[in-house]
Amino acid sequence: METKRPCLIDHYERRLNYLRISITDRCNLRCRYCMPSEGLEKLAHEDILTYEEILRLARIAVGLGVDKIRLTGGEPLVRKDFPHLLPELMSIPGLKDVSITTNGIYLKEHLENIRSAGVSRINISLDSLKRDRYRKITGFDGFERVREAIQLAQTLGFHPIKINMVVLKGINDDEVADFARLSTRYPFHVRFIEYMPSGLLLHNEPLHHVSNAVIRERLEAVEPLIQLPRKPTDGPTVRYRFEGAQGEIGFISPLTHHFCQVCNRLRLTAKGHLRPCLLSDEELDLRGPMRAGATDRDLEDIFVGAADHKPRAHHLNSKDSESLSGQMSAIGG
Ligand code: SAM
Ligand code: SF4
């Protein structure tokens, strides 16, 4: 008799249907909240999952009920032949939603391929609307490239186009109203992400942290925000919009607002480890067993093990300066 396939439900009744895959630890930017200017030690080429391995793990995850996959990095678009991964990923039966998180630098040249593979959802990280400041934050004079990519994404019918801003006190927090206003004029979903201080980046003292509650207050002073009803797909985002706006505004507050009770995610790191929680260092190795000949069933068990290890909640708060010890670029954010 056929045994019933396990499903990814954790000990706290959360159904884990969302997998974020970091397809590379490499990046062409050096965002000051994510990487030191000299870069981080890179994984050896052979330590990074191959496309075949990524696809195999994605199929297994979908077989276990994952229906949403986001490709991230490092910067996913620096991985060679990136567009070849998409059509195969899109053809996995049962996978309803594939999206990409990118810094936008190489996006323009990839957009048509991404769209023709059937992907319409894209998240673009952008932390300043000022060219010089963008360069200071990312270490690269790339603002115009990102702006053009966003414009083209709109022309090609991507929706939603999410613009993710990590807000840093004293660095870009004076631009939050300008970012929010983008959602009035354009159908963009502007997302304010609380900065998570990283133990790897000692220059990024917790002093740069600014809570989303403060940002919301500042926006309310500009114009009242209307809270939008929660959708099952919202995950950790709390959504608002300005009256009559084409787009919306979202707040992701990992530190000041525990969103763990609605967390439906697992993360697959660039080196093939499953990470049950972004803010805990525990990881389960998939690559080792896979390369040693594990069957799909064995790998399924590791996925189920990751669900079993998902903590009820993280224990960090905005006062922890050494809190995030993993490399965001290898985990995928
Ligand atoms: N390179 C791509 C990008 O920047 O969009 C994808 C990878 S990046 C690690 C994914 C997300 O993590 C980005 O939106 C980035 O802003 C966010 N991120 C990185 N370090 C962070 C930190 N210390 N605190 C909050 N968000 C962070
Ligand atoms: Fe690169 Fe993204 Fe990290 Fe910036 S946030 S350094 S673009 S991985």
Side-chain angles (χ1 to χ4, degrees), residues 223-240:
E223 213 179 309
L225 284 166
I226 303 161
Q227 185 156 6
L228 298 173
R230 215 183 136 67
K231 290 191 294 193
T233 48
D234 283 351
T237 310
V238 183
R239 297 179 307 119
Y240 295 81

Side-chain angles (χ1 to χ4, degrees), residues 33-34 72-75 101-103 125 166 194-196 328 332-333:
Y33 50 78
C34 180
T72 171
E75 171 50 33
T101 295
T102 169
N103 60 34
S125 300
V166 176
E194 275 181 3
Y195 159 57
M196 289 175 272
M328 198 65 122

Side-chain angles (χ1 to χ4, degrees), residues 19-78:
L19 180 66
R20 293 173 69 99
I21 304 180
S22 172
I23 64 170
T24 177
D25 62 327
R26 311 205 169 182
C27 189
N28 48 348
L29 296 187
R30 296 286 177 270
C31 302
R32 52 179 297 168
Y33 50 78
C34 180
M35 276 206 202
S37 50
E38 66 279 13
L40 291 164
E41 202 180 326
K42 291 186 187 114
L43 291 172
H45 189 67
E46 61 274 17
D47 288 338
I48 294 177
L49 292 182
T50 65
Y51 276 175
E52 290 69 29
E53 289 170 334
I54 291 174
L55 287 166
R56 180 175 176 203
L57 294 175
R59 280 190 200 101
I60 290 171
V62 173
L64 291 168
V66 165
D67 55 14
K68 181 173 173 187
I69 286 182
R70 173 172 297 281
L71 299 180
T72 171
E75 171 50 33
L77 299 184
V78 300

Side-chain angles (χ1 to χ4, degrees), residues 4 12 22-23 116 122 166 185 204 220 250 252 265 298:
K4 197 168 171 286
Y12 310 98
S22 172
I23 64 170
S116 55
I122 195 131
V166 176
R185 289 182 55 202
N204 278 335
E220 289 274 8
I252 303 180
R265 299 162 181 211
D298 298 331

